[in-house]
Amino acid sequence: MKKFRLYLMMTIVSLCALPTVTYAGDKNPAATEPKEIPVEVQNKLDRLEEIKEMDKSDLSRVEKKELRKEVRTIKADLKSTGNGVYLSVGAIIIIVLLLILLL
């Protein structure tokens, strides 16, 4: 059992000692193809641009308030569409090891 712990500790140390620099994308980002934007997201972005370019000086107070609410809801929708939880391989290994040790 002592050898197992020793080997486990050596494995953990060797994994931590590896270079931790990783690249999220290619080294040449200009050569990559642009990602397609879904239609509903593009419509929301277009609406935000329309509101930004709109002349708001002749609008009433209530209309300005409605526009602000619309902008907030659109931005909240856009933020919620692309979010997710991403775990690296190292984090998954550490979680598994902790589960093994604790259980």
Side-chain angles (χ1 to χ4, degrees):
M1 190 67 177
K2 288 184 180 182
K3 285 186 178 182
F4 175 73
R5 285 189 180 181
L6 176 67
Y7 292 142
L8 181 65
M9 292 301 290
M10 289 177 59
T11 305
I12 291 172
V13 170
S14 66
L15 287 175
C16 294
L18 293 175
T20 58
V21 178
T22 58
Y23 295 102
D26 295 335
K27 292 192 180 218
N28 190 0
T32 60
E33 298 176 14
K35 293 183 179 178
E36 293 182 23
I37 300 174
V39 176
E40 62 270 0
V41 173
Q42 186 61 43
N43 289 340
K44 290 177 183 179
L45 290 173
D46 291 340
R47 178 63 181 150
L48 283 176
E49 287 297 320
E50 285 178 16
I51 292 173
K52 187 187 288 186
E53 294 172 358
M54 191 182 293
D55 184 23
K56 298 175 197 92
S57 61
D58 58 346
L59 295 177
S60 69
R61 191 172 171 195
V62 175
E63 291 172 337
K64 288 180 184 179
K65 191 174 183 179
E66 289 175 4
L67 277 177
R68 282 195 299 270
K69 284 183 181 179
E70 184 180 357
V71 167
R72 284 188 209 125
T73 57
I74 290 174
K75 285 186 177 182
D77 289 341
L78 289 176
K79 283 183 182 178
S80 68
T81 57
N83 291 344
V85 177
Y86 300 101
L87 293 174
S88 66
V89 175
I92 293 172
I93 291 172
I94 290 172
I95 291 170
V96 169
L97 288 174
L98 286 174
L99 288 173
I100 291 171
L101 291 174
L102 294 175
L103 298 176

